[in-house]
């Protein structure tokens, strides 16, 4: 029964070309938004991304909308992929009903490219890796210094500095 259902769902995806529709819709989004907003990809360029098919997900019992087939596209930084790191930059999901009609889509960037400040982030990581836990106690002599450094790192990564 389970295999039969999986085959039927895979046939629906194939019948309506949902994978191709997702890639085409994603390309149109990138082209349209890049013309309007140069920072749309949060520091990345389209040429720096490796794009992969992430699969289909079937949502059958929504309490607020109809059942959908979500087709996911995942994208990575090319340099990360070449180095063997498979931490995605973000993803794109195209939602379609079971008749192949597109109902919605969404685009998510999970991490932005740190262009000028990657070295300082590495330094903060190195600094706090061996931090004695006593320094985090309010009555410790080094507490104010550690708090100050932590705040600087937070402000830098949030781009409020």
């Amino acid at each position: 029964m389970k295999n039969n259902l999986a085959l039927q769902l895979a046939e629906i995806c194939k019948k309506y070309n949902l994978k191709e529709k997702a890639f085409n819709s994603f390309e149109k989004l990138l082209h349209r938004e890049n013309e309007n907003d140069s920072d749309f990809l949060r520091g990345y360029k389209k040429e720096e991304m490796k794009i992969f098919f992430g699969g289909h997900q079937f949502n059958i019992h929504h309490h607020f909308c109809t059942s959908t087939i979500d087709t996911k596209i995942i994208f990575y930084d090319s340099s990360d992929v070449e180095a063997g790191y498979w931490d995605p930059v973000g993803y794109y999901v195209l939602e379609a009903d079971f008749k192949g009609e597109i109902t919605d889509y969404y685009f998510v960037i999970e991490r932005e490219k740190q262009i000028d400040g990657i070295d300082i982030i590495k330094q903060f990581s190195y600094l706090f890796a061996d931090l004695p836990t006593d320094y985090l106690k309010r009555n410790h002599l080094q507490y104010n210094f550690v708090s100050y450094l932590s705040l600087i790192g937070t402000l830098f990564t949030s781009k409020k500095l």
Side-chain angles (χ1 to χ4, degrees):
M1 177 69 180
K2 182 179 175 183
N3 289 337
N4 189 22
L5 181 59
L7 288 174
Q8 288 176 351
L9 292 172
E11 281 299 316
I12 291 171
C13 295
K14 188 176 180 180
K15 177 180 176 182
Y16 295 116
N17 298 320
L18 295 180
K19 182 178 174 181
E20 291 81 14
K21 283 183 181 180
F23 275 100
N24 291 338
S25 178
F26 180 62
E27 286 294 325
K28 287 178 187 174
L29 175 76
L30 287 181
H31 180 71
R32 182 179 67 235
E33 292 300 325
N34 274 332
E35 288 179 348
N36 300 334
D37 182 8
S38 61
D39 196 34
F40 177 67
L41 295 174
R42 301 293 183 246
Y44 291 97
K45 294 181 180 153
K46 184 180 171 187
E47 301 80 33
E48 296 176 323
M49 295 188 325
K50 291 272 186 182
I51 301 168
F52 296 97
F53 174 63
H56 298 289
Q57 180 176 341
F58 301 96
N59 298 308
I60 297 174
H61 287 296
H62 284 295
H63 66 280
F64 55 88
C65 63
T66 62
S67 299
T68 60
I69 302 170
D70 298 349
T71 305
K72 190 173 190 178
I73 296 173
I74 305 170
F75 50 96
Y76 301 87
D77 186 338
S78 298
S79 60
D80 287 350
V81 172
E82 291 169 7
Y85 300 116
W86 290 91
D87 186 22
V89 170
Y91 58 92
Y92 174 82
V93 175
L94 181 74
E95 292 183 357
D97 62 16
F98 282 84
K99 296 177 185 169
E101 297 295 321
I102 296 171
T103 57
D104 200 2
Y105 67 88
Y106 52 96
F107 177 73
V108 176
I109 295 183
E110 296 177 320
R111 65 182 170 100
E112 60 184 69
K113 189 172 186 177
Q114 297 288 338
I115 299 170
D116 297 327
I118 195 70
D119 292 333
I120 196 168
I121 292 172
K122 286 180 183 176
Q123 294 300 323
F124 277 111
S125 298
Y126 176 73
L127 179 68
F128 288 122
D130 296 324
L131 182 74
T133 56
D134 289 348
Y135 285 18
L136 300 174
K137 295 179 181 175
R138 286 187 176 192
N139 60 350
H140 196 278
L141 179 65
Q142 299 298 328
Y143 177 78
N144 288 337
F145 180 67
V146 170
S147 298
Y148 179 72
L149 288 177
S150 180
L151 182 60
I152 290 173
T154 303
L155 290 173
F156 176 78
T157 57
S158 69
K159 295 187 177 182
K160 302 292 182 189
L161 189 62

